[in-house]
Amino acid sequence: MPKTLAVVVSDVHIGTGGPTVWYQPAVHQSSLATILDWVVANADDVRELILLGDVFDFWTYPPDERPPTLAGIVDANPVILGRDGRLAAAVAALDGSVSYLLGNHDATVSAADLAALRSSVGPVRLAPPVHVLAGAGSGRRTVFAHGHTWTMFNAPDPSSPWDSLPVGYFVTRAVAHQMARSLAPGQTVADVSNQGAPNGLDLRQFLRSLAGPRGLGPSISRMLLDYVATLAGLGDDVPIVLADGSVATLAMAKEVYAPLFRRWVGKEGGIVGATRAALADQYGDYLAWFAQRLALSEGAELCVFGHTHFPVGGLTVSPVDYVNSGFACPSLPDMPAKEPTFVVVDLESATAEVRQVVDGSILPYDARRIPPIAAPAPDFSCYVTIENRTGGVFSLLEPLPAPSAGRWIVPPPSVIAPGGRARAWLQDKLGVAGSGGRCSY
């Protein structure tokens, strides 16, 4: 029988076990072990285990602490990462069919880091940032990505002199400074409610403050770092020790990331798209728009993200679907409302279920379904599927005309192969004009 399942685990945030690291072995190790044991027990049906980013954590450390190497994290977590650990057992059971996609907290994993991991757990393969699997019989496609690439504060930043680290890195280091100062002896962040947000900090109050006259603008990164520095009590010139031993400061970060919003306006084609990317870091519902765009662009029926730490069970109305794997390290005060979650994908049908670990058992998780366009905005988009059921190639007869209303998010392709299928998305703009356009093959 062919193997039809993919198991997706993301946002584990395994680190050294220090008090500011979200993953605490005493709290989270047993649930992670339960997930990996389930993979081993169901290996006859599991085609691939996908580690969907932020599996390891190099961010959640106070500024004066040099972040660890992956070898150091492996040594600190022998039950999960040791040669006889649970991940090694899963790699062996799946004959090495384990793919690892980088997230934001582990984006700087190096070749030496991967070598250390593989020497301990076996041949984990590094997958590209966008990973696609098709059903062996159906050909239905599922696309996997961590999700941070489409969020303003956590996407890799090519202008950063610090190995593409984004502004969110400095936010998280500042929050770790605050936690290190405020935790009582013997406490860890797992004892504090609402830890494990993608930035390490609830940014809702900050984002609400942007509704004033300054609004979302070119200074958003400076405003964010000012906001975080005040909350964390971290001075602009306090050294922040980086993984390579060099140092940076918040003052330096403010200069480097100053043009952040302007760059995203260019990247997303306007202020609306840039604002969506800014909001997606705090409000996970905004990431659904990017998931839908990615699925349509990749010709996939399903998109699976992590990053937001909030499980999603699907889209309400869409030609494609989106699920989010949630996260594996909720704080003790947040459980049982939040439990460690993961996703099981049926690759043949391109459908997925969110599951949770409760008291050592794997149970279904009733994750909410959300609209692809975050409420309260309505969706008057046109979604088009074009199937070429002929023996010839479909080619656009003319350059794609500008829409009569709305904007192409995923335009029709110039060519559709015989037997092929293409999808397009024409989204309405703000207002009541709706969407309309045409193309001819």
Side-chain angles (χ1 to χ4, degrees):
M1 293 291 290
K3 297 185 175 186
T4 61
L5 302 182
V7 178
V8 181
V9 181
S10 76
D11 299 273
V12 185
H13 291 281
I14 303 178
T16 59
T20 61
V21 178
W22 295 337
Y23 176 91
Q24 291 293 315
V27 177
H28 304 113
Q29 179 176 278
S30 62
S31 60
L32 181 56
T34 297
I35 295 171
L36 294 173
D37 289 348
W38 187 91
V39 171
V40 172
N42 292 274
D44 288 345
D45 299 315
V46 176
R47 177 170 146 192
E48 191 166 308
L49 170 63
I50 299 175
L51 306 175
L52 198 64
D54 285 6
V55 176
F56 308 104
D57 202 308
F58 302 95
W59 287 21
T60 52
Y61 304 89
D64 61 350
E65 183 177 333
R66 183 174 177 176
T69 62
L70 188 47
I73 293 175
V74 168
D75 290 343
N77 296 274
V79 172
I80 300 297
L81 302 175
R83 286 185 170 84
D84 298 317
R86 296 311 217 282
L87 182 55
V91 173
L94 298 179
D95 295 324
S97 187
V98 179
S99 295
Y100 172 33
L101 283 70
L102 300 179
N104 49 308
H105 281 239
D106 52 9
T108 54
V109 163
S110 65
D113 289 327
L114 285 172
L117 178 65
R118 290 165 177 158
S119 69
S120 186
V121 304
V124 173
R125 59 175 173 258
L126 185 65
V130 174
H131 181 52
V132 180
L133 293 176
S138 67
R140 294 172 69 85
R141 291 160 62 89
T142 301
V143 59
F144 304 86
H146 181 66
H148 67 300
T149 304
W150 297 275
T151 65
M152 182 176 293
F153 303 138
N154 283 305
D157 194 322
S159 69
S160 168
W162 305 297
D163 201 10
S164 297
L165 286 172
V167 67
Y169 174 83
F170 292 92
V171 172
T172 303
R173 297 297 299 271
V175 174
H177 172 76
Q178 178 192 23
M179 288 292 101
R181 296 169 62 205
S182 61
L183 292 171
Q187 269 194 325
T188 73
V189 292
D191 298 306
V192 180
S193 180
N194 202 33
Q195 289 301 293
N199 302 287
L201 181 71
D202 188 330
L203 296 180
R204 283 175 290 187
Q205 183 58 45
F206 167 71
L207 292 170
R208 282 193 291 267
S209 73
L210 299 178
R214 291 181 298 177
L216 286 164
S219 63
I220 184 173
S221 57
R222 181 179 295 274
M223 293 161 62
L224 172 62
L225 291 171
D226 284 340
Y227 176 81
V228 171
T230 300
L231 288 181
L234 183 66
D236 273 8
D237 296 320
V238 173
I240 300 171
V241 182
L242 305 181
D244 63 1
S246 64
V247 298
T249 64
L250 292 183
M252 295 165 65
K254 288 177 184 179
E255 293 301 318
V256 166
Y257 302 112
L260 185 66
F261 190 82
R262 185 169 64 249
R263 289 201 299 270
W264 276 82
V265 169
K267 180 179 179 181
E268 290 296 331
I271 291 176
V272 172
T275 301
R276 182 185 293 115
L279 295 173
D281 264 311
Q282 181 61 51
Y283 302 102
D285 286 12
Y286 285 90
L287 201 58
W289 187 94
F290 296 99
Q292 178 173 269
R293 183 178 69 177
L294 180 62
L296 291 169
S297 299
E298 292 288 337
E301 282 70 33
L302 172 66
C303 176
V304 183
F305 280 166
H307 181 62
T308 66
H309 295 193
F310 292 97
V312 173
L315 296 177
T316 50
V317 179
S318 174
V320 296
D321 213 356
Y322 160 56
V323 299
N324 193 292
S325 50
F327 72 134
C329 56
S331 297
L332 283 168
D334 299 332
M335 295 189 278
K338 296 178 182 179
E339 297 284 359
T341 54
F342 67 106
V343 161
V344 179
V345 178
D346 184 320
L347 294 170
E348 292 302 313
S349 62
T351 58
E353 297 179 357
V354 181
R355 300 188 183 178
Q356 62 182 329
V357 182
V358 181
D359 296 329
S361 298
I362 304 290
L363 301 174
Y365 183 89
D366 187 19
R368 64 193 182 98
R369 302 182 72 86
I370 61 176
I373 311 297
D379 184 14
F380 299 123
S381 297
C382 292
Y383 299 104
V384 182
T385 300
I386 306 170
E387 295 183 351
N388 182 355
R389 299 177 180 175
T390 74
V393 175
F394 279 7
S395 300
L396 276 176
L397 293 178
E398 57 183 345
L400 186 65
S404 58
R407 177 171 81 95
W408 288 112
I409 305 302
V410 180
S414 58
V415 173
I416 306 175
R421 182 183 65 179
R423 284 180 168 147
W425 175 12
L426 178 61
Q427 186 182 4
D428 57 299
K429 297 181 179 179
L430 295 177
V432 296
S435 56
R438 67 181 181 87
C439 63
S440 301
Y441 285 90

